[in-house]
Amino acid sequence: MSKTSNIMRLALLQLKGSKDKVANVQNAVSKIEAAVKEHKPRLITLPECFNAPYGTKYFREYSETIPDGYTSLQLSNLAKKHQVYIVGGTIPELGENDAIYNTCTVWSPTGDLVAKHRKMHLFDIDVKGGIRFKESETLSAGNDFTIIDVDGHKIGIGICYDIRFEEMARLYRNAGCEMIIYPAAFNMTTGPLHWELLQRSRANDNQLFVVTTSPARDTSAEYVAYGHSMVVNPWAKVQQSASEGEETLVADIDFSEVEQVRQQIPVFGQRRLDLYATEKKST
Ligand SMILES: NC(=O)CCC(=O)C(=O)O
């Protein structure tokens, strides 16, 4: 698709969550409706696991099939009703062979499912005196990279822990991406340490926009999300950041910044590909 405009308005919905799936989805619906009415974004992003509590014991209970499950139908209808792209955060997906995935769905302004990204790197960490989490206890990993095209701009999709793997971001850059969107839910151990650092690093490594959307922080929840949904520009500057509470962050993206930084700091063309390369293996 040819580029129709370099300017794109995003709305990042940092949402409160609960154990009530319908209430979670209906909250997302109302915040999407409000964002469209007040800001007329081209693309709306939601948080990781926005329709369910984020925890290994909940994923199967809250899982649903895609694209015919309850949450998918709500997002599809909204995208079509408001003619907007929706990067639908993530939901626990009941996939083939009864496997459960942490999955991001992307809906076009016609309400069609144009992409589905299954989290490739499962969040398995054990930080002494901090957080222990093991997604692999109940989730299966996805094996595919996901790129969407919005108005001629390629956008890569990753999910939370995927952001730690610079090879993935580099492959998106190599494929022509100008932005990577990560629905994510960092926590109070790694969030203060790495949340902003990782986003600025991926943006700087690849001279592209990095956009993250977190759940709002709920200190009464079993998993306390860090918050601070963020837009980082291709110069690796934080363009905008939310705080910790429920918030809609609106950002006007100027994709011409991508070319500006790539021309002024031309690292991409200066790589020693005679000595090294980052390559996707055929699966
Ligand atoms: N949901 C996640 O993948 C969390 C990733 C995270 O917190 C990290 O430190 O990485």
Side-chain angles (χ1 to χ4, degrees):
M1 189 190 298
S2 60
K3 294 179 182 176
T4 53
S5 167
N6 270 334
I7 305 300
M8 184 182 296
R9 172 162 291 183
L10 308 183
L12 289 61
L13 306 191
Q14 182 164 292
L15 302 174
K16 286 179 183 167
S18 72
K19 290 185 178 178
D20 181 335
K21 177 191 279 193
V22 172
N24 293 338
V25 173
Q26 289 311 309
N27 181 43
V29 168
S30 67
K31 295 297 187 298
I32 288 170
E33 300 269 12
V36 167
K37 183 177 179 185
E38 292 169 39
H39 306 293
K40 294 181 177 38
R42 181 61 169 155
L43 184 149
I44 295 172
T45 68
L46 302 180
E48 181 176 19
C49 207
F50 82 94
N51 71 347
Y54 182 68
T56 50
K57 64 185 178 184
Y58 298 113
F59 292 145
R60 181 166 294 280
E61 175 189 352
Y62 285 77
S63 67
E64 58 184 80
T65 52
I66 293 171
D68 55 353
Y70 167 71
T71 305
S72 293
L73 294 174
Q74 296 290 313
L75 296 180
S76 172
N77 292 340
L78 279 168
K80 185 173 184 178
K81 176 182 175 184
H82 297 297
Q83 296 184 335
V84 65
Y85 282 92
I86 298 177
V87 175
T90 78
I91 64 172
E93 175 197 7
L94 175 60
E96 56 280 359
N97 303 321
D98 209 33
I100 307 291
Y101 299 92
N102 187 348
T103 301
C104 173
T105 56
V106 182
W107 307 91
S108 72
T110 54
D112 293 309
L113 178 67
V114 293
K116 186 172 87 168
H117 180 76
R118 290 170 167 171
K119 190 172 189 176
M120 292 169 68
H121 304 87
L122 297 180
F123 179 46
D124 288 1
I125 69 169
D126 188 352
V127 176
K128 289 182 176 43
I131 186 168
R132 178 191 179 279
F133 204 99
K134 201 164 172 60
E135 280 189 329
S136 60
E137 286 173 351
T138 55
L139 294 181
S140 297
N143 298 315
D144 298 311
F145 297 83
T146 307
I147 295 175
I148 61 175
D149 186 303
V150 179
D151 302 337
H153 299 285
K154 288 185 177 180
I155 300 174
I157 304 293
I159 298 170
C160 207
Y161 199 56
D162 284 339
I163 199 171
R164 287 187 178 273
F165 301 87
E166 71 268 14
E167 296 90 344
M168 182 178 179
R170 172 52 48 91
L171 287 167
Y172 279 146
R173 156 84 190 254
N174 290 350
C177 289
E178 299 170 88
M179 175 183 286
I180 305 174
I181 296 177
Y182 297 94
F186 267 50
N187 52 76
M188 297 308 290
T189 298
T190 57
L193 283 171
H194 299 151
W195 174 250
E196 178 178 327
L197 171 66
L198 284 163
Q199 294 177 66
R200 296 188 63 211
S201 298
R202 293 301 85 85
N204 197 42
D205 295 346
N206 301 289
Q207 301 174 313
L208 44 63
F209 286 93
V210 170
V211 175
T212 56
T213 307
S214 168
R217 186 182 304 177
D218 175 359
T219 54
S220 67
E222 292 168 70
Y223 183 90
V224 181
Y226 181 56
H228 298 289
S229 301
M230 200 171 279
V231 175
V232 179
N233 75 13
W235 292 95
K237 285 180 69 177
V238 177
Q239 179 173 325
Q240 263 160 287
S241 173
S243 184
E244 297 92 13
E246 187 160 78
E247 180 175 344
T248 294
L249 193 69
V250 179
D252 287 327
I253 299 296
D254 182 351
F255 281 105
S256 66
E257 292 183 43
V258 173
E259 201 44 44
Q260 288 163 16
V261 68
R262 292 180 180 182
Q263 281 178 2
Q264 296 172 48
I265 309 176
V267 290
F268 202 51
Q270 295 165 340
R271 293 172 300 160
R272 290 294 310 274
L273 296 179
D274 53 320
L275 300 176
Y276 54 75
T278 301
E279 289 170 346
K280 179 178 180 293
K281 288 188 176 179
S282 55
T283 48

